Amino acid sequence: MNTALSWIKAYVPELACTDQEYCDAMTLTGTKVEGYERKDKNLEKIVVGQIVSIEKHPDADKLIVCQVSIGSETIQIVTGAPNVKVGDKVPVVLDGGKVAGGHDGGPLPEEGIRIKAGKLRGIPSNGMMCSIEELGSDRNMYPEAPEMGIYIFPEDVEVGADAVELLGMHDTVFEYEITSNRVDCYSILGIAREAAATFRKPFVAPVVKATGNDEDVNDYISVEVKDTDLCPRYCARVCKNIKIGPSPKWMQRRLAASGIRPINNLVDITNYVMEEYGQPMHAFDLDTIAGKKIIVQRAKDGDEFQTLDGQIRRMDSDVLMICDAEKQIGIAGIMGGENSKITDEVKTVLFEAATFNGANIRKSAKRVGLRTDASGKFEKGLDPRNAEAAINRACQLIEELGCGEVVGGMVDVKVPLKELTVLPFEPEKYNQLLGTDVSKEEMLQIFERLEIGTIANSCGDICLEIPSFRQDLLGRADIAEEVARFYGYDKIPTTLPSGEATTGKLPHKLRIEKKARDIAEYCGFSQGMSYSFESPKVFDKLLIPADDVLRQTVTISNPLGEDFSIMRTLSLNGMLNSLATNYNRRNKNVKLYELGNIYLPKELPVTDYVDERMQFTLGFYGDGDFFTLKGVLEEFFDCVGMSAKKEYDPAAGKPFLHPGRQALVKYEGETIGFLGEVHPQVLDNYNIGTRAYVAVLDMPKVLPFTTFDRKYEGIAKFPAVSRDISMVVPKDILVGQIEHIIEQRGGKLLESCELFDIYEGSQIKEGFKSVAYSITFRAKDRTLEESDVAGAMKKILNGLEQLGIELRA
């Protein structure tokens, strides 16, 4: 199933996204996109030009020299095209532009062909006039194009306009893998409904207006269905005074984007409705139908029938046929007959829109050796209610396009239509099945977007009324799947299976704590353990103010002594005591870590369980500095999937840390910890005679941001481009601020930025420092040009200038 994005947007007008965003979002909600292709791929700088004059080439019999107006100027183009004349408006690729391929109709080169100004047989040529093949298409999709030569635009197009836009090529064609149970998605409207629900945009269905004159269709045709088990519904309408001609350009372009060759207005309308509604239709020449009667019945064993492709097919009694009063005129749901085909002399047309037994159509197509687009849709099992809507849409288009006059009324032979499916609304059971906690209100919003109605049963309970086009929704599991699709599979948490046995896997919290131990030990830290009981004097040693909330502690009713009379609210005392013990025993380069709880009362006096919060505490002295500790935290963040940008706020305000060498650790705006050099006075209080550094992460705040899911990214296909910049920066500007500007303004092409030098000295003016970065750019889909990198660098430099930063000479 292929669709053009422009056709989808006709029914979801507020849809605004990139091709990749559309592809990813639709796939995540269950409408799998196999791939997509831009129709204007490799088409650049192509405008409408008008030929002002033509002269023979002085040195080549088959070449001519054309003066071509492109609106802003007149350029000279040398061409060998045989079909151009003065006044023609043609697509012109300008100097430096690109076309998709050559005029020979061969395979298109992946990167297209770059057109440059040059000379042909000594005469300058500043561009090229294009055939439809050079624009990446062919006459099947653009039947008005000449068989050999340059494409000619209608006279009313504007000179200098975008030729690619006029040809409808600024579009993307998506290829879907539709499962057989989603027969509604074998139509443009079905895909559009899914897109509207996925992107939470309004779905605007085509408005089908009443059509038909004052005549009665029953005066023209009658229908008898003898095998209702194979044809539950047969709708027929008549159009007279048919005028065969080309269909409008917008219809041709939409059909072409879906891979259907435009033929004429009548055929194109039936194909258009088949794609739009997913309902195959067939048109018969009413004048060839004997007795003005349609009979739907099984064939007889041994019958032979000539189909529209000219082949003789052998039938049997399991094949359903469309017959008139005398003969067979079509194989139901597969192909019409040669004896009733539409010709250019047709005056009155009978439109057929029916519903056939899907299994029978599949077997019949295999039996007679003929599978068509129509049979491919019928064999899925179509919605009988869709037949009436589709045939009315076709008749509306007949009138709107001036193709003929619609006769009033419709012949509708059908068995009683199946009542709409009604299912109980069971939000708790859906959540239990999915392992989610989606609210009832959110579920109802999802159902509303999917056009699933709600009604009340006799007991007043809410029930779900399933639309007829959703034949796949039959039970609780189906409804739960709809919730999962639009709630987001990526949001559903991982849970252990219910039952007596489990997989034995560690809970996520314990896996993160294990990873913290692994990283700390990998970085040379040894595990330490300290008491949760502490002395009230600890707060004075750590310079905690008297009114600080950390002094609100849980007091032990029967302590071992004053030194163990409260539950700790900060993990630093145990760490600093351990560092002091090692220092006083003359151990060098000591690195310790601890995973332990602190205990924060919810209120005082304590009346409820306290908040026990796991703290990941790191401390060391010896070789290393503030940035050594910061590197350990960064390693931990990377290993637990915290890939977003971390911020380090120097305005931490921790009294036990050095005023100029401390920072709060922030992630996505949430403060998750702190780190820094221990305050000299605190070092004295603990009898530590050297610089020491500590870091604390609050694990309950860290956990929501962690994940062990990893997304594979392939090796880059295209080369990177690097730029080094050296800047003179005010000393109060942090490198984090610089990196924020680079990442913010670098755009999608920015791959990385790396600090490789900081210098302060006599060569730098007072109050400033020299900072140097290496900035790398790369595109995933092409090789970057100098203009791409220059534009990104200009934005970066403009942003840096706003911080008072100058490039170093």
Side-chain angles (χ1 to χ4, degrees):
M1 177 72 188
N2 294 348
T3 70
L5 185 60
S6 59
W7 202 348
I8 298 298
K9 287 183 176 180
Y11 310 123
V12 192
E14 296 183 17
L15 180 62
C17 60
T18 66
D19 295 339
Q20 190 61 51
E21 288 171 345
Y22 180 89
C23 176
D24 294 341
M26 292 292 283
T27 299
L28 280 175
T29 54
T31 308
K32 184 180 179 183
V33 180
E34 285 287 301
Y36 62 88
E37 182 178 4
R38 290 288 308 179
K39 291 184 65 182
D40 58 2
K41 179 183 178 182
N42 297 326
L43 300 181
E44 299 177 9
K45 298 177 69 175
I46 302 176
V47 301
V48 176
Q50 185 170 28
I51 300 175
V52 178
S53 66
I54 299 177
E55 297 178 357
K56 285 184 177 265
H57 193 291
D59 296 323
D61 293 338
K62 295 185 178 181
L63 296 180
I64 56 176
V65 181
C66 302
Q67 302 300 319
V68 182
S69 170
I70 57 172
S72 59
E73 60 178 317
T74 298
I75 62 176
Q76 180 170 286
I77 297 176
V78 179
T79 181
N83 68 314
V84 294
K85 63 182 185 299
V86 174
D88 281 348
K89 294 180 179 180
V90 297
V92 175
V93 56
L94 305 179
D95 180 27
K98 288 174 73 175
V99 292
H103 63 277
D104 57 359
L108 300 180
E110 181 66 25
E111 298 298 326
I113 299 175
R114 183 73 64 182
I115 303 300
K116 296 182 179 179
K119 291 184 178 181
L120 288 178
R121 291 288 188 93
I123 301 298
S125 182
N126 298 311
M128 186 181 81
M129 292 181 278
C130 304
S131 67
I132 199 65
E133 288 78 14
E134 287 163 331
L135 296 174
S137 191
D138 54 44
R139 294 185 68 247
N140 286 331
M141 301 299 104
Y142 293 84
E144 74 277 11
E147 186 173 355
M148 293 289 293
I150 304 302
Y151 183 88
I152 308 296
F153 283 109
E155 295 181 358
D156 58 350
V157 302
E158 180 184 353
V159 175
D162 184 346
V164 179
E165 181 177 0
L166 290 173
L167 289 167
M169 290 184 175
H170 286 315
D171 203 355
T172 306
V173 177
F174 292 89
E175 180 184 357
Y176 305 87
E177 180 185 316
I178 307 298
T179 54
S180 58
N181 67 320
R182 288 303 306 273
V183 64
D184 59 302
C185 287
Y186 284 90
S187 68
I188 300 295
L189 290 178
I191 297 291
R193 282 192 187 97
E194 290 290 303
T198 297
F199 291 94
R200 299 172 182 262
K201 301 297 183 183
F203 170 68
V204 183
V207 178
V208 180
K209 300 177 182 177
T211 55
N213 57 23
D214 295 334
E215 297 180 90
D216 186 356
V217 68
N218 293 288
D219 296 334
Y220 285 78
I221 193 72
S222 63
V223 176
E224 179 185 0
V225 179
K226 293 186 176 180
D227 294 282
T228 55
D229 58 323
L230 301 183
C231 179
R233 188 172 195 182
Y234 191 101
C235 299
R237 296 197 69 176
V238 173
C239 299
K240 65 179 187 178
N241 300 325
I242 296 297
K243 301 179 183 65
I244 298 294
S247 54
K249 288 293 188 293
W250 62 266
M251 180 175 285
Q252 292 187 30
R253 302 297 182 254
R254 288 182 179 179
L255 290 174
S258 297
I260 298 175
R261 181 172 64 91
I263 297 175
N264 58 50
N265 49 7
L266 192 60
V267 176
D268 290 353
I269 284 173
T270 59
N271 286 334
Y272 185 88
V273 173
M274 179 175 71
E275 291 298 303
E276 186 179 44
Y277 278 79
Q279 171 67 52
M281 297 181 58
H282 190 69
F284 298 100
D285 186 341
L286 186 62
D287 293 332
T288 65
I289 298 177
K292 298 297 182 282
K293 183 174 183 178
I294 293 291
I295 303 172
V296 183
Q297 61 185 1
R298 296 173 186 264
K300 297 178 181 178
D301 291 333
D303 282 352
E304 291 185 346
F305 179 71
Q306 185 177 19
T307 49
L308 278 171
D309 58 2
Q311 299 294 314
I312 302 295
R313 312 284 176 176
R314 184 173 293 275
M315 305 292 122
D316 60 37
S317 59
D318 288 327
V319 178
L320 189 67
M321 301 296 294
I322 309 298
C323 309
D324 62 17
E326 299 176 355
K327 60 186 179 297
Q328 298 169 339
I329 58 175
I331 306 176
I334 300 177
M335 185 177 282
E338 181 73 18
N339 55 10
S340 62
K341 69 179 181 180
I342 299 293
T343 65
D344 291 344
E345 288 72 35
V346 66
K347 299 300 180 184
T348 308
V349 167
L350 172 67
F351 274 124
E352 164 197 287
T355 305
F356 301 113
N357 181 282
N360 177 261
I361 295 297
R362 180 178 60 82
K363 293 176 182 178
S364 296
K366 186 175 181 180
R367 190 176 292 111
V368 301
L370 179 60
R371 194 170 189 275
T372 61
D373 289 340
S375 68
K377 286 182 166 59
F378 276 122
E379 67 188 23
K380 305 293 189 301
L382 299 184
D383 172 20
R385 288 178 169 82
N386 197 37
E388 181 178 358
I391 200 170
N392 287 337
R393 173 65 165 163
C395 291
Q396 179 187 17
L397 290 172
I398 289 288
E399 287 192 351
E400 289 181 353
L401 304 185
C403 185
E405 181 183 353
V406 179
V407 174
M410 177 180 72
V411 177
D412 187 6
V413 178
K414 61 186 177 184
V415 299
L417 296 178
K418 181 183 176 182
E419 294 292 331
L420 295 180
T421 301
V422 176
L423 299 174
F425 178 49
E426 303 170 309
E428 296 82 6
K429 292 182 179 179
Y430 306 150
N431 279 323
Q432 183 181 10
L433 188 62
L434 298 172
T436 56
D437 189 22
V438 184
S439 67
K440 170 183 174 181
E441 292 73 19
E442 187 172 355
M443 289 185 187
L444 290 175
Q445 290 175 4
I446 291 172
F447 297 149
E448 182 179 2
R449 299 205 305 271
L450 294 172
E451 300 184 29
I452 297 176
T454 56
I455 59 175
N457 62 14
S458 58
C459 299
D461 298 325
I462 297 177
C463 292
L464 303 176
E465 187 175 55
I466 311 302
S468 61
F469 57 81
R470 290 302 304 273
Q471 300 181 50
D472 58 309
L473 302 183
L474 303 174
R476 180 189 304 157
D478 301 319
I479 298 298
E481 183 182 9
E482 298 303 293
V483 174
R485 287 202 300 135
F486 293 98
Y487 172 70
Y489 288 116
D490 54 326
K491 296 180 183 178
I492 298 177
T494 301
T495 56
L496 289 172
S498 58
E500 297 180 359
T502 68
T503 59
K505 187 177 180 181
L506 284 175
H508 184 71
K509 174 178 179 294
L510 296 184
R511 291 179 69 195
I512 296 299
E513 292 174 8
K514 182 179 184 298
K515 184 61 69 174
R517 293 187 185 93
D518 292 343
I519 295 302
E521 291 169 7
Y522 171 81
C523 294
F525 287 73
S526 299
Q527 185 171 14
M529 297 183 67
S530 57
Y531 290 116
S532 297
F533 305 149
E534 289 185 338
S535 168
K537 299 175 184 178
V538 166
F539 302 113
D540 294 328
K541 293 175 70 175
L542 292 172
L543 309 181
I544 304 295
D547 58 347
D548 197 292
V549 68
L550 292 175
R551 289 182 178 263
Q552 299 178 14
T553 63
V554 177
T555 303
I556 299 172
S557 58
N558 55 344
L560 298 175
E562 185 181 7
D563 289 342
F564 303 95
S565 61
I566 63 171
M567 303 295 289
R568 65 179 178 182
T569 57
L570 192 67
S571 61
L572 287 183
N573 177 63
M575 177 59 67
L576 292 175
N577 275 328
S578 298
L579 292 177
T581 300
N582 280 275
Y583 178 80
N584 292 321
R585 294 180 182 178
R586 300 187 179 181
N587 291 325
K588 297 180 179 180
N589 299 322
V590 175
K591 296 181 177 180
L592 299 174
Y593 79 91
E594 180 185 12
L595 278 165
N597 287 335
I598 61 172
Y599 305 87
L600 304 178
K602 298 175 183 176
E603 59 181 0
L604 290 175
V606 177
T607 59
D608 196 3
Y609 294 108
V610 298
D611 186 11
E612 299 184 27
R613 305 185 70 82
M614 177 65 69
Q615 308 291 289
F616 180 31
T617 307
L618 298 161
F620 80 94
Y621 66 80
D623 294 341
D625 56 16
F626 175 95
F627 297 103
T628 303
L629 197 56
K630 180 173 175 283
V632 178
L633 297 185
E634 292 284 354
E635 183 73 13
F636 168 71
F637 293 145
D638 289 343
C639 289
V640 295
M642 298 172 66
S643 57
K645 184 71 176 176
K646 275 72 68 175
E647 297 179 19
Y648 296 87
D649 184 0
K654 301 296 183 183
F656 41 80
L657 297 179
H658 192 293
R661 300 167 190 164
Q662 60 173 288
L664 293 176
V665 184
K666 294 186 176 181
Y667 190 83
E668 295 188 1
E670 178 79 11
T671 299
I672 60 175
F674 60 85
L675 78 158
E677 181 179 329
V678 180
H679 196 288
Q681 185 175 339
V682 175
L683 292 175
D684 289 341
N685 293 341
Y686 284 88
N687 296 318
I688 300 175
T690 187
R691 290 183 176 182
Y693 301 86
V694 294
V696 177
L697 292 181
D698 187 25
M699 298 302 279
K701 289 186 176 179
V702 171
L703 278 173
F705 302 114
T706 59
T707 178
F708 288 108
D709 295 335
R710 297 292 184 269
K711 182 178 180 181
Y712 169 78
E713 291 188 4
I715 299 173
K717 296 181 180 178
F718 299 93
V721 179
S722 296
R723 293 288 185 270
D724 293 347
I725 56 173
S726 181
M727 303 166 283
V728 179
V729 181
K731 284 188 176 181
D732 60 340
I733 299 295
L734 304 176
V735 293
Q737 294 173 266
I738 298 175
E739 291 177 1
H740 178 72
I741 291 293
I742 294 174
E743 292 172 357
Q744 182 184 51
R745 292 177 172 256
K748 294 182 179 179
L749 298 180
L750 179 67
E751 183 175 78
S752 65
C753 63
E754 182 177 352
L755 174 70
F756 67 85
D757 184 56
I758 297 180
Y759 171 76
E760 296 183 28
S762 58
Q763 298 180 14
I764 306 300
K765 57 185 178 181
E766 187 69 24
F768 286 78
K769 58 187 175 183
S770 173
V771 177
Y773 272 92
S774 178
I775 304 175
T776 303
F777 301 91
R778 192 195 306 266
K780 294 182 178 180
D781 57 349
R782 59 190 173 91
T783 299
L784 290 177
E785 298 181 359
E786 177 60 29
S787 58
D788 296 323
V789 179
M793 287 299 299
K794 183 177 180 181
K795 291 180 181 179
I796 291 172
L797 295 176
N798 289 340
L800 295 174
E801 286 179 3
Q802 297 176 12
L803 295 179
I805 296 173
E806 303 173 1
L807 285 180
R808 187 177 178 185

